Amino acid sequence: MTQEFCDILNSRLDGTLNHTLGIVFLPSEGNTVKAEMPINEHTRQYFGILHGGAALAMAETLAGAGSLSVVGLDAKICGLQVTGNHVGMSPHEGKVIGIATPIHLGRSTHIWNVDVMSEEGKLISTERVTNMIL
């Protein structure tokens, strides 16, 4: 994703869950989509680590942006399924980085794999997101 595409997506976040969670899109190579999200009072669970629901929201956000990057900003994308496995604990502060990679880019459905990692590259969770292209 180019910086220009990231700027367009980031400008659309006001008043959304993505804005509340602090998700910011970052430039990335090829068909991958990248974003960061802070670990803070909006994204932590009561033990002080990243809430699994925040990781899932980040994954659906990244996959949706990825589908938009493939079919165009005027398309309507609807998440059909999100599944995740939380495999590691996050730090208590800092950021997580999400990277979405396409698995299937069909005419009416897209499937994305999303890895959410610490800033140091430790895998925290991995998600599979299926989108419908409307």
Side-chain angles (χ1 to χ4, degrees):
M1 263 190 354
T2 65
Q3 181 64 56
E4 180 182 1
F5 196 80
C6 290
D7 290 344
I8 291 168
L9 291 176
N10 288 328
S11 73
R12 295 180 174 188
L13 298 181
D14 284 345
T16 68
L17 175 65
N18 302 325
H19 180 259
T20 300
L21 296 178
I23 295 171
V24 176
F25 291 100
L26 304 170
S28 58
E29 299 291 321
N31 280 341
T32 63
V33 180
K34 185 175 180 181
E36 64 184 16
M37 179 173 65
I39 301 169
N40 62 23
E41 68 277 7
H42 300 291
T43 60
R44 282 189 206 108
Q45 47 106 308
Y46 63 94
F47 287 135
I49 61 173
L50 184 69
H51 192 289
L56 290 169
M58 182 182 206
E60 188 165 356
T61 298
L62 283 163
S67 290
L68 284 175
S69 74
V70 172
V71 298
L73 286 167
D74 294 331
K76 297 209 184 315
I77 309 299
C78 179
L80 291 176
Q81 183 177 18
V82 180
T83 59
N85 291 295
H86 307 300
V87 297
M89 292 177 64
S90 75
H92 291 277
E93 54 189 35
K95 296 178 182 178
V96 290
I97 307 297
I99 299 177
T101 306
I103 298 198
H104 166 75
L105 297 174
R107 189 173 43 85
S108 59
T109 59
H110 291 175
I111 301 172
W112 293 81
N113 187 77
V114 183
D115 288 332
V116 177
M117 299 165 283
S118 69
E119 291 177 282
E120 296 76 33
K122 176 186 169 197
L123 184 64
I124 296 169
S125 68
T126 186
E127 286 81 28
R128 181 72 49 103
V129 181
T130 302
N131 288 331
M132 179 184 289
I133 313 305
L134 302 174

